[in-house]
Amino acid sequence: MTSPDETGWGQVAEPGSRTMLRRILLLIAVTVIVAVAGSLMNALSLKSPPVPLAHSRPQPVMFLGNIAINPPETIPPTPAPTSHVDQDWVARVAAATGIPSRALSAYAAADLTIDVEQPACGLGWNSLAAIGWIESGHGSHDGAVLGEDGYPVPAIRGPALNGNGVAAIRDTDGGTFDGDALWDRAVGPMQFIPDTWARWEADGNGDGNANPNQIDDAALAAARYLCASGPMTATEGWRAAVFSYNHLDSYVDDVAATANRYAAEAAG
């Protein structure tokens, strides 16, 4: 008759051997837990707010609605024109990310302006760039070409907001920006609805004309709009701000993935 401590190999397991076996099993269990936890962290990483990158400086879903937030009563007129952006930085980051230099300069200028106006916001250029890519391919939607003046040619216009699978918004600008005197349409590189633009218009290039079709103006207005939701320095705040721009969790995820990719490429 064998002892209760007898192993399957016909040998009696000594107390020291049993202790070693327990340690080995515990080590295997810990390894499995760490691996699973790592996989979960990777899966969640796209939902984290992009890490703002410091500039080297001295100091295509079509958008269908960003109409929920009203601007503060006064906004300091402190735009930083693209001439204030370090062009060496622009050239390097444009080459690394594939973002056209003209568009990247607009995103960076808007970031610089927000740094001065609302330093607690924490908005990074890469978040603006991600929205610009998803909204209009940085001003290239449907074959448009972004000129040095910041206007895409031909003009970028979304579908008529006539209630047919989209919100119904009657014309609010007489067709001035969107060419439609019956229904509103989202316009420009950042796809602003004229009614929203009337509340958030910005003159990002300092030419005295605020136009949602012009990328410097649109990028600055988008930056102010996002920061109105509150600080974007933590995941919850960042996601709330981007969700206010387009009310879809999948949209927020797409912006996060693109923004994180731009940040990684620029840092690389």
Side-chain angles (χ1 to χ4, degrees), residues 4-5 12 63 81 90 95 106 110 123 151 162 167 181 193 198 210 213 220 258 264:
D5 290 331
V12 176
F63 169 65
V90 170
L123 173 65
Y151 286 88
N162 56 13
I193 295 172
N213 292 289
L220 179 55
T258 304

Side-chain angles (χ1 to χ4, degrees), residues 1-252:
M1 180 177 293
T2 60
S3 162
D5 290 331
E6 187 176 324
T7 68
W9 296 100
Q11 301 293 327
V12 176
E14 297 178 356
S17 299
R18 291 200 302 272
T19 300
M20 182 61 70
L21 180 60
R22 291 193 189 99
R23 290 177 178 173
I24 292 173
L25 291 175
L26 179 60
L27 179 60
I28 292 173
V30 170
T31 302
V32 171
I33 290 171
V34 170
V36 171
S39 298
L40 289 174
M41 288 300 293
N42 289 334
L44 292 172
S45 63
L46 295 184
K47 296 184 179 181
S48 299
V51 178
L53 295 182
H55 295 161
S56 175
R57 52 184 161 106
Q59 251 208 353
V61 204
M62 292 300 292
F63 169 65
L64 298 179
N66 53 6
I67 58 176
I69 304 173
N70 286 318
E73 292 185 3
T74 56
I75 298 176
T78 56
T82 55
S83 60
H84 291 189
V85 179
D86 187 322
Q87 293 305 305
D88 290 338
W89 178 89
V90 170
R92 178 179 63 80
V93 174
T97 61
I99 302 171
S101 296
R102 184 62 185 85
L104 182 59
S105 293
Y107 305 139
D111 182 358
L112 286 169
T113 299
I114 287 298
D115 283 350
V116 174
E117 290 182 358
Q118 303 179 56
C121 175
L123 173 65
W125 66 267
N126 52 319
S127 294
L128 287 172
I131 291 174
W133 166 250
I134 291 171
E135 295 294 350
S136 72
H138 305 306
S140 68
H141 178 75
D142 203 22
V145 176
L146 187 65
E148 282 303 310
D149 61 0
Y151 286 88
V153 178
I156 299 173
R157 294 167 179 164
L161 297 175
N162 56 13
N164 185 17
V166 294
I169 304 178
R170 290 281 181 179
D171 173 65
T172 60
D173 69 331
T176 299
F177 295 126
D178 60 9
D180 190 334
L182 182 60
W183 302 99
D184 267 352
R185 297 170 180 261
V187 299
M190 305 301 280
Q191 288 291 278
F192 271 96
I193 295 172
D195 179 60
T196 308
W197 184 254
R199 309 180 203 182
W200 287 93
E201 63 179 30
D203 181 12
N205 61 355
D207 67 352
N209 177 36
N211 192 317
N213 292 289
Q214 205 277 340
I215 196 166
D216 301 312
D217 296 353
L220 179 55
R224 287 171 173 165
Y225 183 96
L226 290 165
C227 288
S229 290
M232 300 177 67
T233 52
T235 299
E236 183 178 352
W238 187 92
R239 290 185 66 85
V242 177
F243 187 84
S244 76
Y245 207 89
N246 196 332
H247 304 330
L248 291 170
D249 284 326
S250 59
Y251 178 87
V252 179

